[in-house]
Amino acid sequence: MQWTGDPASQCPVFAEISAKGRGPGRPDTCERLQKTIKWAVDEGVLDVPE
């Protein structure tokens, strides 16, 4: 997965990080998004080609 825009404008985790003055890339991912993607794959909602 890759952001199509500014992560701080699309993700509350990145928005909070940005509000605290930390720049993009720190962290380089969102733990909440990773959990959601894992759930979607595990439930068969998101198909991951092999």
Side-chain angles (χ1 to χ4, degrees):
M1 293 279 177
Q2 185 174 5
W3 296 107
T4 58
D6 176 24
S9 69
Q10 299 180 25
C11 172
V13 173
F14 277 94
E16 182 179 338
I17 291 167
S18 180
K20 292 179 180 177
R22 293 176 62 190
R26 294 178 191 88
D28 60 353
T29 189
C30 174
E31 185 176 313
R32 290 183 192 176
L33 178 59
Q34 286 181 325
K35 286 180 181 180
T36 301
I37 293 169
K38 181 180 179 336
W39 171 86
V41 171
D42 291 346
E43 294 296 317
V45 176
L46 180 64
D47 184 38
V48 179
E50 293 183 29

